[in-house]
């Protein structure tokens, strides 16, 4: 099984790599420290599975997961997160992840999660989350609504990380006026008044870290 691991903390990546490469049926073929690098490495190495931290610089793990699943439909994604709120679980599954592992449970759960996702199963690390998803699927619901488009989430993340409109435009290859329009739309959609409120929202949503 060929695996890509993506996490912005080198120590975490190192620990996961050591754990995975002890297994005779697994091999780490690529590592990434942010979402953009994860997507690029996935396109180059075409792994069977990506272990993806939800919160990473430049592009979040969820945004990278969407891109990877869109371009490499045979590559599975396993989300890695410090958050056990159902909101994050829904977001990960909607982004195309087939599993969700809490960072505090990596030592016990990672290998089982990788094997389960590789078999085509959904893997979650606690009974509460399993119940939430079973109810969601049984009711044919879509989970909590996400008011923002993927592009708006990208802009919001960069705003929260204190990038200027010019820097955001360069990063996302947009016109500066387009970024200004996105910023105004974000404030309007979310009913907020300024950047401080946008930052708080981005942190709560896991788009960036405090």
């Amino acid at each position: 099984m060929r695996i890509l691991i993506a996490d912005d903390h080198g120590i975490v990546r190192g620990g996961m790599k050591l754990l995975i490469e002890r297994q005779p049926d697994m091999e780490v073929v690529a590592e990434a420290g942010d979402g953009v690098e994860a997507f690029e490495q996935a396109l180059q190495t075409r792994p069977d599975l990506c272990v993806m931290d939800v919160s990473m610089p430049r592009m979040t793990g969820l945004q990278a997961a969407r891109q990877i699943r869109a371009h490499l439909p045979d590559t599975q994604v396993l989300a890695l997160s410090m958050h056990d709120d159902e909101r994050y679980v829904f977001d990960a599954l909607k982004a195309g992840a087939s599993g969700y592992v809490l960072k505090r449970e990596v030592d016990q759960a990672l290998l089982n999660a990788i094997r389960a996702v590789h078999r085509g199963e959904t893997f979650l690390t606690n009974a509460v989350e399993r119940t939430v998803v079973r109810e969601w699927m049984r009711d044919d619901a879509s989970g909590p609504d996400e008011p923002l488009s993927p592009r708006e989430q990208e802009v919001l993340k960069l705003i929260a990380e204190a990038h200027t409109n010019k820097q955001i435009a360069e990063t996302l290859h947009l016109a500066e006026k387009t970024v200004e329009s996105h910023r105004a739309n974000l404030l309007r959609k979310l009913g907020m008044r300024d950047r401080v409120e946008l930052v708080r929202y981005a942190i709560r949503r896991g788009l960036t870290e405090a």
Side-chain angles (χ1 to χ4, degrees), residues 3 10 14 72 81 94-95 117 130 135 146 185-186 193 201:
I3 299 168
L72 301 170
S81 176
K94 286 164 68 176
V117 169
R130 291 191 187 95
E135 290 299 319
E146 171 53 66
N185 285 338
L186 285 167
R193 294 168 297 175
Y201 179 85

Side-chain angles (χ1 to χ4, degrees), residues 156-157 160 197-208:
L156 174 58
K157 178 183 186 300
E197 291 185 331
L198 289 176
V199 171
R200 287 175 184 157
Y201 179 85
I203 291 170
R204 288 199 305 270
R205 293 285 295 102
L207 296 175
T208 190

Side-chain angles (χ1 to χ4, degrees), residues 146-160 168 178-194 197-198 201-202 207:
E146 171 53 66
L148 307 181
S149 69
R151 174 63 82 192
E152 287 170 336
Q153 291 181 56
E154 290 172 347
V155 172
L156 174 58
K157 178 183 186 300
L158 293 171
I159 290 173
I168 295 171
T178 302
V179 175
E180 292 173 1
S181 177
H182 278 307
R183 185 187 289 262
N185 285 338
L186 285 167
L187 292 169
R188 178 182 54 77
K189 271 191 176 183
L190 299 174
M192 295 177 179
R193 294 168 297 175
D194 53 32
E197 291 185 331
L198 289 176
Y201 179 85
L207 296 175

